[in-house]
Structures are given as structure tokens and as C-alpha cells.
Amino acid sequence: MSFGPPPSPYTQSALAADSDRRRRRTKLVGAVAAVLVVALCAGGWLLMYATGDGTPAKSKATAAPQAPDEIRETVEKTPKTLEGKLVIDYDEEKFKDDETRYAPGTWATDKIFAKGIKNTLTGFKFGVDEAAWTLKLDGHICATTKHVTADGRTAVVVQPGKRKGTKDAGICDEVVFFDLDTGKKLWTATMSDAKTAYVTNTNLTMTRGTVAVAWGNGSVAYDMSDGKQLWKSTDVSKCEDNGFAGGRSLLVLLRCGDESKHAYRVQKIDPRTGKPQWTYKLKEGISGVYMPSSDPPVLAIGAGEYDVTDLITLDDQGRHSATISMKGGRFDPMCGDSWDGTHYFGVMENCYAMVVGKDDIFVASKADGGYDQAENWIVDFDVKTGKTLKKFDGRPLQPLWPVKMSGDKLLVYRPSSDNVGPAAIVGIDPATGKETPFLYFNLPDGTTRMENPEWSDILVEHGRAFFSPRVLTASAAHPDDPVPAAVGIAQAR
């Protein structure tokens, strides 16, 4: 992992654009999906998934309402229709020659889809082309978090412009907490002593009532309500705060020792005081650690190499529960590098092909590529024992990508195999292995790359599916064409 001053994250990227995927797009998604769903239902294709009203009994239970400052855990409602319609179709325009625009941060509420691009946050209402709000920041976005409060607030870390009389250009030391529905900036805080916080090493997260940031040589936490500092740590004599994992709890990853010989520790800490509640020590020889879940505590580690080789689960007291081998690279949870091989914008919690539930860990395999075989599959591992519980196969040319937990069900994305048959969001019941259709649709032309979680954020929130690439690059063959930046699909009413 790199911790030195980075080049500007918005200069030329080595990431090559797909030259054949940047044509202007059609907007006939709803009509196409409707025809396909009717045809497929008539052919009996859906009968292998649907049971009763299409919703397993457990998902009908009403979840207790969350407090406003808890981290949101949405349980998706039973769909009224399987047909999808296009409600977000946003392009970035006026690219300069060889320009790359980084686009960190993708969020949605029941009212708004929001996206971060360069130094701007933009919110869109569904089915409306114009932006509902635009929030210009003091500089480029340095770090984002996937977490959103129950009432629709989240945070970013910003690299403000050079302050008069200082040498702070390039330092990521400003936290902005804002409302996703309104675009209103709720508070801004300057991270004191964050002189080595860069886009390459700054990690941001949230847990109930607390926003926390770590940058290797220090960390700081703020109260969600007013932005006041709760605590900070800048003692780097023995261990460095590499990053946090938030959500239901708050974990910190500590890197102890010098560059030649170091060891990692994970601590659960009190989010209001920063005091450790337990510590788990990893063995020496670990090259990298990610923390995709704080509760249950799950670590994704690279043992002797940078790729994830094992998953480690802990109990609620920080004691080792299980080690799950990633089978010599057969599985790929896609942890960490998602920005042209860099660690930009915070990577600690991001494992894009892996979802952790209360009792299960779902990990996607690498693509198999066999023409008449499943493109890939998802394996369900038991959190406490590490044992394999079930295997869910994709289809030929149609991989399965885990997206999120919805109560005790897993929602997955299945792309179209040929852009004619529909793509789908499907619910899987881990207890029975049954699949339930959630949404069928076709993505617009030129957006194929959005379907891969390695390159694109894929969200399901309040009955809608969203696809948004993390890096925007104009096509070499068509440099003046608008670049697809976000697509949203909703249930047709």
C-alpha cells in the first residue's frame, strides 16, 4: 500500500476506455423489459424462480425502525412488478483530450440518486434529467464511505485548494457531512495534524453517531450531530491507524513495526471515546488486510501476497472463529484495488464481489469462461465455522454478483448474456437456496462496462438498481461523445 504524496488523481489515467461502448444510448429500456418479461413468462422461464407471491415468508417481517443516526440497513419490499424502467440516465460531457474524471461515491435514498465526480456532488430525482441539487466542494474528493444514516446523511473527505500562507496543497484534511436528499452541507471539519493524509491512504467510515477518518499516521472522529471532534490519535511510535470499518460497530486496523517487519492488529473501539474494547493480533507475514464487515467482524487478508488469500472471522469478543481459504485464487472478493490498480478514495471496507450477512459470507468466484458452463458462482460460507453451506451457479455468459443483504436474503445481479434477454436483480434465500425475481431490465446501449463490480458501483436501494462507473474516460474513437456516468432502473408502476 502506498502512503506517499500522490500525483493528482485527476490527471491522465492508465485505465483504457472500452472503445466500442461509448455510443449514444437508447431510452427504450422500459418497453424492451416489458416485452421480454411477458415473453419469458409465457415461455415458463420464470416458473423456476417464483414461488407463491414471489417473496419468501421471512422477508415479509417488518423490521424495527432505525434511529436517524444509525447506519441504514434497508430491507427491500416485495416488488409490485418485475418490469424495470429507466429513471436515471446521466452522462458527463465536454471531456478534454485524454481527460479522465474520477467518480468516487455513489449513494441513493428513496428520493434521490447522488454521485461524486471530481470536486462536485450531484443529486438527481428519479425520472428527471436535470440535477435536483449540486454541491461544489472546496477541492477534489479524497475518500468516500458506502455508509448512509437511516435519515439519509453521509460524508466525504476533500482535498481543499492550497490555503493562503501554507504548504498544504494536496492534503486531504477536510471532512464534509451532507444530506443526500437536499444536497445541504450540514457541517465541515478540518482534520488537525493530518499532514500526511493523501488520496492514496485516507479511509473514511461511519457508525452510529460517529464519522471516523484514518490516514496511516493518525485518525480522528467527529460527532454526526454537529461535527465536533470526539477524539483523535496521532501517536505513530509503535502502530499506525490504517483505516476503519464502520456500520453496526467500529473496527480499526493497526499496522505495527517498521516497513521491513510489521504486523497487523484489529481492535474494536468505542466510537465515542476511541478506547479499545478488544484486540486481535494477526500473524506476521500478512501483506495486506481489508475489513469488509465490522459486525460480524470479517477480515480479508493477503498472506504473503497482495491478493486476498483468506478470510478470517471473529466472534463478538474478538476471538478467532474461522479461517476461510480463497482456494488458491479461485475466489475473488475484489477487495482494495478498484481505481486503475491504486488505493485511491479509501479501500478498507470495499470488497466488491463479497457480501457479509449476520450468519453468512457470500463470495463470488472468478469467471470460468466456459461457453456451456456457469460463468461463475457464489459460495455461501458459515461465519462461525467457515464451512461451505451452499453454492449458487451463474449461467453461461451470465455471472452472478452479490450486491447486498436485504434482511436475511441476498440480492444479486445477473447481467444479460446478449443484451437481448433481460438482466436481473434476483433475491436468494440462503436457508433454502431458492431464487426470487426482483427486477428485470435491459441497460442502455454503451453501458456494458457498468455491469462489472470491478469497475462500477452497483447498488440496490428502495426498489431501484443503480450502476455507476468509478472512472470516466472518453472513448478514443469518439472523444466528443458524452460519457455514461450513471444508470438507474426502477420498478414500472
Side-chain angles (χ1 to χ4, degrees):
M1 299 182 184
S2 173
F3 293 96
S8 171
Y10 304 104
T11 56
Q12 171 63 27
S13 170
L15 182 62
D18 287 354
S19 61
D20 61 340
R21 294 175 178 169
R22 302 298 187 190
R23 296 290 194 271
R24 189 59 195 169
R25 299 172 282 166
T26 179
K27 298 200 176 185
L28 298 177
V29 178
V32 172
V35 171
L36 286 167
V37 169
V38 171
L40 290 169
C41 285
W45 186 73
L46 294 182
L47 297 179
M48 63 188 296
Y49 300 109
T51 57
D53 68 353
T55 305
K58 286 186 179 181
S59 66
K60 294 180 179 178
T62 301
Q66 292 184 280
D69 61 354
E70 284 187 292
I71 301 306
R72 179 183 66 189
E73 296 183 23
T74 309
V75 178
E76 300 297 332
K77 296 181 180 179
T78 304
K80 294 181 180 180
T81 175
L82 300 179
E83 175 191 341
K85 67 176 182 179
L86 189 66
V87 293
I88 296 292
D89 184 21
Y90 175 62
D91 294 342
E92 279 281 289
E93 300 182 346
K94 299 180 180 179
F95 277 68
K96 300 176 182 179
D97 291 343
D98 300 324
E99 181 185 2
T100 290
R101 299 179 188 176
Y102 286 87
T106 306
W107 309 273
T109 69
D110 60 337
K111 301 180 180 69
I112 289 288
F113 169 81
K115 183 66 186 168
I117 300 177
K118 296 178 66 174
N119 63 342
T120 303
L121 300 167
T122 307
F124 299 89
K125 289 185 178 179
F126 307 118
V128 179
D129 289 338
E130 292 78 18
W133 56 260
T134 300
L135 177 58
K136 288 286 186 181
L137 303 170
D138 294 336
H140 290 305
I141 299 169
C142 279
T144 67
T145 175
K146 63 184 179 182
H147 297 302
V148 175
T149 63
D151 63 354
R153 296 169 293 159
T154 192
V156 295
V157 177
V158 175
Q159 174 189 337
K162 184 177 179 180
R163 298 184 178 93
K164 186 176 180 180
T166 73
K167 298 180 180 180
D168 290 346
I171 304 301
C172 300
D173 63 354
E174 182 175 286
V175 182
V176 177
F177 193 62
F178 65 100
D179 188 302
L180 285 166
D181 285 333
T182 65
K184 181 180 179 181
K185 187 187 294 185
L186 301 175
W187 52 259
T188 300
T190 299
M191 295 154 48
S192 60
D193 301 317
K195 303 302 182 184
T196 56
Y198 304 111
V199 71
T200 51
N201 68 341
T202 301
N203 283 273
L204 164 71
T205 197
M206 303 194 313
T207 189
R208 180 171 182 167
T210 302
V211 178
V213 189
W215 60 91
N217 287 340
S219 61
V220 63
Y222 300 97
D223 192 311
M224 274 185 186
S225 63
D226 53 18
K228 290 184 179 179
Q229 182 177 297
L230 296 172
W231 50 267
K232 72 174 183 178
S233 172
T234 55
D235 182 7
V236 297
S237 59
K238 294 182 179 180
C239 299
E240 298 180 346
D241 294 341
N242 267 25
F244 294 108
R248 298 190 193 110
S249 300
L250 187 62
L251 303 183
V252 62
L253 176 67
L254 304 175
R255 186 179 184 276
C256 307
D258 57 27
E259 189 68 30
S260 60
K261 187 177 182 180
H262 62 268
Y264 289 102
R265 299 175 186 173
V266 174
Q267 290 182 336
K268 180 179 179 180
I269 57 178
D270 184 322
R272 308 301 290 179
T273 66
K275 294 181 178 180
Q277 296 174 332
W278 52 251
T279 300
Y280 176 77
K281 296 182 179 180
L282 287 93
K283 296 179 180 179
E284 293 184 2
I286 303 298
S287 300
V289 181
Y290 305 95
M291 300 188 296
S293 174
S294 67
D295 183 7
V298 177
L299 315 177
I301 67 169
E305 51 187 280
Y306 284 98
D307 291 336
V308 172
T309 57
D310 300 278
L311 305 179
I312 293 176
T313 68
L314 309 177
D315 67 14
D316 58 5
Q317 298 299 314
R319 295 169 298 210
H320 179 271
S321 291
T323 297
I324 304 170
S325 171
M326 291 291 93
K327 307 294 184 183
R330 192 63 179 130
F331 293 94
D332 185 7
M334 293 188 188
C335 299
D337 294 342
S338 59
W339 303 91
D340 188 21
T342 72
H343 278 73
Y344 289 174
F345 310 117
V347 300
M348 192 57 58
E349 297 178 87
N350 296 334
C351 292
Y352 297 104
M354 172 179 169
V355 169
V356 180
K358 181 181 178 181
D359 301 307
D360 307 80
I361 303 174
F362 303 93
V363 186
S365 73
K366 291 183 177 179
D368 182 80
Y371 179 75
D372 59 349
Q373 299 177 353
E375 183 75 6
N376 79 336
W377 53 87
I378 294 173
V379 172
D380 176 7
F381 297 99
D382 185 276
V383 166
K384 293 181 180 179
T385 67
K387 294 181 179 179
T388 300
L389 298 177
K390 285 184 175 63
K391 176 172 172 279
F392 310 105
D393 285 332
R395 301 176 180 171
L397 304 180
Q398 289 185 279
L400 282 179
W401 300 119
V403 177
K404 67 176 284 187
M405 295 303 298
S406 176
D408 54 0
K409 309 300 183 290
L410 173 70
L411 294 184
V412 304
Y413 174 59
R414 177 189 286 125
S416 170
S417 62
D418 54 12
N419 294 323
V420 177
I425 299 296
V426 177
I428 296 178
D429 185 344
T432 64
K434 291 183 178 180
E435 295 185 11
T436 301
F438 183 79
L439 194 61
Y440 285 103
F441 52 92
N442 284 82
L443 293 180
D445 292 341
T447 60
T448 308
R449 194 176 191 183
M450 291 188 184
E451 299 182 284
N452 190 330
E454 184 176 3
W455 305 108
S456 182
D457 291 334
I458 303 176
L459 305 181
V460 175
E461 189 63 40
H462 283 86
R464 305 176 182 96
F466 303 94
F467 303 81
S468 183
R470 303 182 193 104
V471 180
L472 307 176
T473 309
S475 165
H478 304 276
D480 296 327
D481 281 3
V483 177
V487 169
I489 308 293
Q491 298 165 11
R493 302 301 182 189

